[in-house]
Amino acid sequence: MTETSPAPVSNIAALPLDQLDAPPLTLGRLAWLRFRRHKMALAGMALLGLLILYCVGGGFVFSEKYANYNDTSLALQPPSAAHWFGTDTIGRDILARTIYGGQISLLIGLTAVILEVSAGIVVGALAGYFGGWVDNLLMRFTEAILIIPQIFLLLVMAKFFAGDIPDINFLGREFSGSVIVIVVIIGLTSWPYLARIVRAEFLSLKESEFILAARATGTSTPEIIFLHILPNCIAPIVVSATLGVANAITLEAYISFLGLGVRPPTATWGNMLEGAYNYIESAYWMWLFPGLLILFIVLAINFVGDGLRDALDPRSRAV
Amino acid sequence: MTNLLLEVRDLKTRFHTPEGTVYAVNGISFNLPQGSALAVVGESGCGKSVTMMSILRLIPIPPGQIVSGEALYVGQDLLKLSENEMEANIRGKAIAMIFQDPMTSLNPVLTIGRQLTEPLRIHLGLDHNQAQRRAIQLLEMVGISGGANRLESYPHQFSGGMRQRVMIAMALAANPSLLIADEPTTALDVTIQAQIIELVERLRREIGLTIIWITHDLGVVAGMAERVIVMYAGYIVEEADVDALYEMPCHPYTQALLAALPRADRRRDRRLKSIPGAPPNLLVEPKGCPFAPRCEHVRERCRLENPTLTTVSSSAALRGLSGDHRVACWVDLATGAMR
Amino acid sequence: MTPLDSQPLVQVKNLTKHFPVLRGLVLQRQVGLVRAVDGISFDIQRGETLGLVGESGCGKTTAGRTLLGLYPPTSGEVLIDGQDMRHTRGPELMALRRKAQIIFQDPYASLNPRWTVNSIIAEPLRVHRLLPTEKERVERVKELLRLVGLSPTHLNRFPHEFSGGQRQRIGVARALASNPLFIVCDEPISALDVSIQAQVVNLLEELQDQFELTYLFIAHDLSMVRHICDRVAVMYLGLIVELAERNELYENPLHPYTAALLSAVPIPDPKQERARQRILLKGEIPSPLNPPSGCRFHPRCPLAKAHCAETTPAWREISPGHWVACHEVA
């Protein structure tokens, strides 16, 4: 169609141009200015940083072989200079195992959340934007999943899928195939909450005036969904994804603790706790260290999530 | 001289926010005679609401801080009273306030009757039947008939205008002598606005209520006020009787505001006069006249020194219109000379 | 140019927009019908500003949005430059959308808070592929910013960095980007301070002169409508009750609702205000879910007679260009 637009020459020459005095303030900077006002969120972020450093950096100090190396003659040693966190029932170094276990726990948390977020966004966006029978269908399905307790669903699925899954090689490391199972089932059972949040955001945003302006211009539906609405849902998505990581780590610990999760020798904080179950009184170090790490990471992530909730609110104009 | 109901002296209110100190109210003084109707006019952020909230001590402290000033209500300084005394004798008793959005001031899950009678029973010690009768009487006073049935209704069953009437009824419950109305008609349609103005006007006549009406609408002011205060950036820039102000506006801001208003009763004769720029950033400690950056009569001195509010002998005053006409401007706009 | 030029730019014929009220979770059933717009007709000439006024809930905003195809009309016809959006597809529909734009009331809600000013104003250019290269688009955006009185250096700023009036001007720049013929101004100034309103109104007028724009100006501020509009239509409960040239309407209102509305408008002149006789209407606007029979204004009308409750008044031209729907007007 396009006739090229004749460039109109302004004859409103007398109009003075408004100049902003304040230096440019990008959305990222604005979010940071608000985030740093939350002392607890800052502390949470620092703690989270330390924990990630511990899990990642520790990998350079101890090899995975060392973490899985067992020497039953060294079994159940309390913390000492040689084994700072002590050793477990078959003489593995708990410090090294919390490092590698932490890597797996974080990996499970992150990948499960990627799955959760993708599914949640697709379902929520479709339901919220199109409404009508699409919404009806998707939301009834979402509710159907929501009414089944997540733990129950997790356990059933863990049991069901716990067949022979071959070990996999990822980033040059061997993982027990059960890691994949755990990631998938946590991801598949967590998305309904997010889907409902995304749907609610879409419902309110699709009626907002800037969307109407885009529709009046003729912007296509995919562009409206992905360029206009989705970036404005980023705040609740990021917040719920952050908290989702903590949730996934806890769930993994839970399933692993019940013996349905990640199979040894691959360590996770959860299955380390399982191993400690029979030694709660006799060998405190076996549960104390992985337990504390789970506590710290969940706490840190929750504080960060709280800070992000305020920092990312697109409608708040206050610094 | 009539009795002064309220006398405010050099009121200064600030807010200490993470971005810096907001200089919201910068030395406001005014007198309010008993039975009068004062309008406080200004744009958003000019400090008109904060002034009234400070007088009633309704601003959150912190971040707010009343830096200095007195608010003498019949000789008693409200800013020195204890919180208990404010609660027991002033707020909602001697001085009542109504706001722009009546829905946020009404509890949506309680009936109108419950919300109207509760303060009557608690504060005035009326029993159930007395409170019920008084509530019906109050509703009739604000033009809501069908009393007893209405008491059973919930706020959402009332329209915006009706809810504002209910708010006024609640404000009148304890027989206040002063009613502060903060943009009470801004959210309402013009025909409903006219009804509310008419109602307040009638209450002033019939029960001698003193009114402070906060608004941004110079049209509404012309219809209901006796005296007008024009605020800009936390300062009073002009204060006069309503006729004098409209006939002979002395501050460039007031003049510009009036020239920026189209009129429904006149044929269009020109483009509207627009005021360049935007209201100032209140985060900066004020220096010079706050209106100077937007003023078309600005002089060197305006940028350096803030003019104080001084009485002018306007032609309106000479023609026998009562009351001081005070303006805060270095330039005498009639002659172009410096004051 | 084309013979179409003698036609009105916008022709609205018997436009209705009803919103069904649904109940039920899975099996939804209709329990009511909000008659937001219930059969309105008017033309807008090229270069003209038509005012559409009325109180909240009268359907003026719905009318404006239905006009632009933002809501599918229930029935009736809207022709913009001779074409109906419902009967055009693909490139033709895009060409039609390019010709008609909208400016909104709330300068905070009408700009995407996550986009830079550049992306916001360039959106119509991008969507309609008006300028092939990014560089040309940026140049055009800069020019548009200058046009609305904003510094072109602010290209990469975000909406939150601007004041209400400035944001409204960004919205105007976006509406202008595709060189439209027709702009629906949906309460463009009612969220702004008085000193800023005049800036935006004057800008709209200057742009109209320069680009021969046609406006539908939706507002509840009757003073501003008299100032900016050539002709004014008054809406009540989904219907237009009176339509006339502005001075004719304000000086000689025929419909009792128009008269009451005008008498309630505050005038910034204390002497006038004291001298005025207000027509205070009884009650408030009834629900459009269940509008009154006959003339919809009859329950509040000071002139109402028995037949007003029974028959709907006809839409009549009382004098050239002055239309009214009332039984009691001679």
Side-chain angles (χ1 to χ4, degrees), chain B residues 110-291:
Chain B
L110 298 181
T111 61
I112 296 292
R114 174 92 187 274
Q115 297 185 61
L116 252 173
T117 52
E118 205 157 78
L120 293 171
R121 288 158 64 184
I122 296 171
H123 296 304
L124 301 183
L126 302 183
D127 67 28
H128 179 81
N129 287 335
Q130 287 172 319
Q132 204 81 7
R133 272 199 302 278
R134 173 79 175 132
I136 294 170
Q137 194 189 349
L138 283 167
L139 285 181
E140 269 162 15
M141 239 160 103
V142 297
I144 300 178
S145 52
N149 291 332
R150 297 295 195 160
L151 292 180
E152 300 301 312
S153 315
Y154 288 88
H156 70 89
Q157 293 170 299
F158 280 16
S159 64
M162 294 284 265
R163 286 199 286 261
Q164 198 56 279
R165 284 171 191 271
V166 171
M167 286 312 298
I168 296 174
M170 288 172 74
L172 296 179
N175 290 321
S177 42
L178 171 60
L179 177 70
I180 301 179
D182 189 352
E183 304 254 11
T185 60
T186 304
L188 305 177
D189 285 316
V190 277
T191 54
I192 312 301
Q193 168 171 281
Q195 294 172 357
I196 298 287
I197 292 175
E198 166 79 21
L199 166 66
V200 173
E201 195 46 31
R202 187 165 57 78
L203 291 172
R204 191 165 80 88
R205 257 190 341 259
E206 287 175 7
I207 59 176
L209 203 59
T210 309
I211 311 284
I212 298 181
W213 191 290
I214 305 174
T215 180
H216 67 276
D217 189 331
L218 281 160
V220 170
V221 172
M224 55 68 57
E226 291 177 329
R227 197 161 171 83
V228 187
I229 285 175
V230 183
M231 284 188 72
Y232 188 79
Y235 294 93
I236 294 180
V237 294
E238 187 161 4
E239 181 189 347
D241 285 349
V242 67
D243 288 280
L245 188 92
Y246 284 80
E247 205 164 297
M248 216 25 223
C250 289
H251 196 280
Y253 177 62
T254 320
Q255 280 193 350
L257 274 186
L258 284 168
L261 276 184
R263 290 182 56 157
D265 63 332
R266 287 198 191 152
R267 293 194 174 207
R268 172 195 173 122
D269 48 0
R270 57 179 167 80
R271 283 256 156 103
L272 294 175
K273 201 164 165 257
S274 76
I275 309 176
N281 182 355
L282 298 174
L283 280 169
V284 184
E285 167 109 61
K287 177 175 165 267
C289 171
F291 190 61

Side-chain angles (χ1 to χ4, degrees), chain A residues 26-49:
Chain A
T26 60
L27 292 171
R29 173 131 187 87
L30 185 65
W32 169 242
L33 285 177
R34 291 197 209 128
F35 184 81
R36 68 172 191 199
R37 292 225 311 270
H38 282 252
K39 298 288 173 268
M40 291 310 274
L42 284 179
M45 198 146 89
L47 183 58
L48 192 61

Side-chain angles (χ1 to χ4, degrees), chain B residues 6-17:
Chain B
L6 182 69
E7 196 179 349
V8 176
R9 292 281 154 265
D10 197 36
L11 181 72
K12 287 184 182 159
T13 303
R14 288 173 193 168
F15 291 91
H16 303 285
T17 68

Side-chain angles (χ1 to χ4, degrees), chain A residues 11 20 30 66 94 97 119 220 226 233 240 268 274 276 314-315:
Chain A
N11 54 25
L20 294 183
L30 185 65
Y66 175 72
I94 289 182
R97 282 185 75 71
S220 66
F226 291 107
C233 306
S240 116
T268 71
E274 186 216 351
R315 270 146 292 208

Side-chain angles (χ1 to χ4, degrees), chain C residues 144-158:
Chain C
L144 287 161
L145 279 173
R146 269 192 292 267
L147 201 60
V148 298
L150 290 171
S151 167
T153 54
H154 298 328
L155 214 56
N156 292 316
R157 301 261 193 153
F158 286 90

Side-chain angles (χ1 to χ4, degrees), chain B residues 43-44 159 189 191 193 195 219 222-223 243 246-247 263-268 270-272 275 277 294, chain C residues 55-56 193 195 199 202 205-206 209 226-227 250-251 266-274 281 284:
Chain B
E43 297 177 277
S44 46
S159 64
D189 285 316
T191 54
Q193 168 171 281
Q195 294 172 357
D243 288 280
Y246 284 80
E247 205 164 297
R263 290 182 56 157
D265 63 332
R266 287 198 191 152
R267 293 194 174 207
R268 172 195 173 122
R270 57 179 167 80
R271 283 256 156 103
L272 294 175
I275 309 176
R294 303 173 75 188
Chain C
E55 297 179 280
S56 46
D193 271 322
S195 75
Q199 291 176 4
N202 287 347
E205 291 193 335
E206 271 154 23
D209 292 350
R226 179 168 197 182
H227 179 80
Y250 280 73
E251 285 159 16
I267 304 237
D269 183 338
K271 290 206 175 69
Q272 287 260 15
E273 279 287 318
R274 277 192 293 267
L281 289 179
E284 311 203 6

